């Protein structure tokens, strides 16, 4: 007669032993990528606004919906630039620790330049 086979349970592990502790801070690269991409998107909006005012042929190309003029193209391209920048920086910085202060300062400068570019007295100069 064959011996009975019994199933044994694996030893119970506590939640502390399931995950290895991490040493050092969590990488801030993904967050920095999102912040910097937002600044790049704002700058792209301001730059495209100025360029569409300065170059009427470009304004005609950016008229995706004629009743709104080049606004639809400008905003759509700014969102595309933002998404591409986010994707690129996220892939570059996904596991890295970056200087967040530097990223924040660059982002604030880009946002300020973007706001200036969308300010009517400025873009009407062109």
């Amino acid at each position: 007669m064959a011996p009975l086979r019994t199933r044994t349970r694996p030893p119970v592990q506590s939640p502390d032993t399931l995950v290895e502790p991490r040493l050092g801070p969590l990488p801030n690269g993904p967050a920095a990528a999102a912040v910097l991409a937002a600044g790049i998107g704002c700058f792209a909006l301001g730059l495209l606004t100025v360029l569409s005012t300065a170059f009427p042929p470009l304004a005609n190309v950016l008229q995706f919906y004629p009743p709104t003029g080049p606004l639809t193209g400008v905003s759509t391209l700014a969102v595309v630039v933002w998404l591409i920048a986010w994707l690129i920086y996220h892939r570059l910085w996904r596991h890295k620790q970056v200087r967040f202060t530097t990223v924040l300062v660059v982002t604030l400068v880009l946002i300020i330049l973007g706001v200036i570019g969308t300010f009517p007295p400025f873009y009407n100069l062109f």
Side-chain angles (χ1 to χ4, degrees), residues 81-99:
V81 167
W82 164 67
L83 285 173
I84 290 171
W86 194 2
L87 176 70
I88 290 170
Y89 281 108
H90 179 75
R91 288 194 183 259
L92 289 174
W93 295 346
R94 154 176 58 196
H95 302 294
K96 296 191 179 185
Q97 186 75 17
V98 298
R99 291 185 180 203

Side-chain angles (χ1 to χ4, degrees), residues 41-121:
C42 289
F43 178 72
L45 182 68
L47 180 65
L48 288 168
T49 302
V50 170
L51 291 176
S52 68
T53 303
F55 302 107
L58 178 62
N60 292 335
V61 170
L62 293 175
Q63 285 190 11
F64 296 167
Y65 180 66
T68 63
L71 178 62
T72 51
V74 167
S75 58
T76 302
L77 286 181
V79 169
V80 168
V81 167
W82 164 67
L83 285 173
I84 290 171
W86 194 2
L87 176 70
I88 290 170
Y89 281 108
H90 179 75
R91 288 194 183 259
L92 289 174
W93 295 346
R94 154 176 58 196
H95 302 294
K96 296 191 179 185
Q97 186 75 17
V98 298
R99 291 185 180 203
F100 202 81
T101 306
T102 305
V103 170
L104 187 61
V105 168
V106 170
T107 299
L108 290 175
V109 169
L110 290 171
I111 290 172
I112 290 169
L113 291 173
V115 169
I116 290 171
T118 59
F119 194 56

Side-chain angles (χ1 to χ4, degrees), residues 13-24 26:
Q13 295 180 341
S14 71
D16 296 333
T17 61
L18 294 177
V19 178
E20 293 182 22
R22 299 188 92 199
L23 299 176
L26 290 172

